[in-house]
Amino acid sequence: MITEQLEKINKFTRRELTAEDVYIFPVVLCDNDIDRDCERFSLAALEQLQKLFIGRTGIFDHDAKSSHQSARIFDTEIVTDTSRSSKNGEPYTFLRAMVYMVRTDENKGLIAEIDGGIKKEVSISCSASERICSICGSDKTKSGCAHVKGSIYGGKLCHTVLSGITDAYEWSFVAVPAQVNAGVTKHFSADETVQCTGGCIEEAERELRRDIRRLAFFCGGNERVKSVSEKSADFNVHELIGLKKTLEAEKSSEGAVIQLSAQCGEKEALSEFSMK
């Protein structure tokens, strides 16, 4: 097993590493359960993420500085636990990654914290182009619907099914994970308009403002967040989309990484290491 793992690890290195050189550990990146933001990944999305996360680096608190890169994913697998079900009634399925770190004097403390369960929680950054309403099947990136996430319709919890994964940015150790898939970025429509009314508009505005605050932070820290928030306080949805597009372009030019944390009401932390 270690020989096979080293072969995969050495695809990313400039010199051949040995078993003594590396520290290897597993981590659960995300799953198909309904999360704190009333969203879940489809099985197709997990399969897309399985491929995209190979080679992605792990950092801290989604800080994009290269000095904060601590580990790299060298293998992934999708695992189904038939002994438990997701909140949606499907067999619980998760994406597990194998991660390596190069042993150094500087990271002895980090390795000890991982082994001791101190450094444990993670969240991911990725981009989903499809956001399907679980009640009516509408793709909210193209058109809206009247259903509100977190509400009950006909005895079923309304949530958004995330699919069409276009990119996976990174995964991060975090002190307080919002949810497993806290890093999903939102896209509303191909022509940069939001075709919905009522609660859907309110939901879109909340998500846009959250995206904008996160992008502004990566582009210029707390001062940038403050100035952008003040500037956009009275913006409508269409103006917010334009501002987000501008910040995304600025972020791309600076090589920053998006990570959007989500807020909802679940008590349990869905983001955890799986040491099985």
Side-chain angles (χ1 to χ4, degrees):
M1 177 63 74
I2 186 63
T3 300
E4 180 181 345
Q5 289 178 329
L6 285 173
E7 288 178 356
K8 294 178 179 180
I9 289 171
N10 283 322
K11 292 179 181 178
F12 301 102
T13 65
R14 295 185 63 184
R15 70 174 178 86
E16 292 290 309
L17 299 179
T18 67
E20 290 72 28
D21 293 325
V22 296
Y23 172 73
I24 298 172
F25 59 98
V27 59
V28 172
L29 295 174
C30 52
D31 57 32
N32 68 335
D33 215 347
I34 300 172
D35 62 31
R36 293 181 178 184
D37 201 31
C38 302
E39 298 178 340
R40 66 178 174 88
F41 284 116
S42 67
L43 292 179
L46 293 180
E47 292 173 354
Q48 293 162 341
L49 288 167
Q50 180 185 11
K51 298 176 182 178
L52 290 169
F53 262 110
I54 293 178
R56 293 296 189 262
T57 55
I59 55 179
F60 291 92
D61 295 318
H62 299 286
D63 190 325
K65 294 179 181 178
S66 61
S67 60
H68 290 176
Q69 292 178 327
S70 57
R72 189 177 299 276
I73 293 172
F74 67 89
D75 200 9
T76 56
E77 65 174 334
I78 293 176
V79 181
T80 297
D81 182 353
T82 56
S83 68
R84 60 181 290 196
S85 298
S86 69
K87 296 181 181 68
N88 195 46
E90 297 179 343
Y92 177 71
T93 303
F94 60 91
L95 175 60
R96 179 163 59 197
M98 295 303 298
V99 182
Y100 80 93
M101 297 170 54
V102 178
R103 293 181 182 272
T104 65
D105 291 338
E106 288 76 15
N107 65 20
K108 284 181 179 178
L110 174 57
I111 291 173
E113 289 179 336
I114 293 173
D115 284 341
I118 304 302
K119 286 290 187 297
K120 180 178 180 180
E121 288 76 19
V122 304
S123 65
I124 68 171
S125 289
C126 68
S127 181
S129 63
E130 298 176 10
R131 301 172 60 246
I132 308 300
C133 173
S134 65
I135 302 300
C136 67
S138 296
D139 185 350
K140 294 186 177 183
T141 64
K142 299 177 180 178
S143 62
C145 69
H147 301 115
V148 179
K149 287 191 304 182
S151 298
I152 304 297
Y153 298 90
K156 296 182 178 181
L157 175 66
C158 179
H159 61 277
T160 300
V161 183
L162 302 164
S163 196
I165 305 300
T166 57
D167 203 354
Y169 302 115
E170 42 78 21
W171 58 277
S172 179
F173 290 107
V174 291
V176 183
Q179 55 180 22
V180 170
N181 57 333
V184 178
T185 63
K186 308 298 191 298
H187 300 276
F188 292 93
S189 68
D191 61 356
E192 301 297 335
T193 62
V194 178
Q195 303 168 12
C196 53
T197 59
C200 178
I201 284 288
E202 294 176 359
E203 177 186 335
E205 182 174 334
R206 285 195 299 271
E207 292 179 344
L208 281 165
R209 291 189 183 281
R210 185 180 66 191
D211 288 12
I212 286 168
R213 286 193 298 272
R214 179 66 64 170
L215 283 163
F217 177 79
F218 279 118
C219 290
N222 289 326
E223 287 300 317
R224 188 67 186 280
V225 173
K226 181 179 179 181
S227 64
V228 167
S229 297
E230 291 175 351
K231 174 184 176 182
S232 61
D234 297 324
F235 279 17
N236 60 33
V237 170
H238 302 287
E239 291 170 324
L240 290 171
I241 289 174
L243 176 58
K244 180 186 173 185
K245 189 173 181 180
T246 298
L247 288 170
E248 285 177 332
E250 181 177 340
K251 178 272 306 178
S252 296
S253 67
E254 295 179 356
V257 178
I258 304 174
Q259 197 281 334
L260 308 175
S261 60
Q263 304 293 330
C264 208
E266 297 291 338
K267 292 183 179 180
E268 66 270 26
L270 297 178
S271 181
E272 60 182 85
F273 281 107
S274 173
M275 304 307 291
K276 298 179 181 178

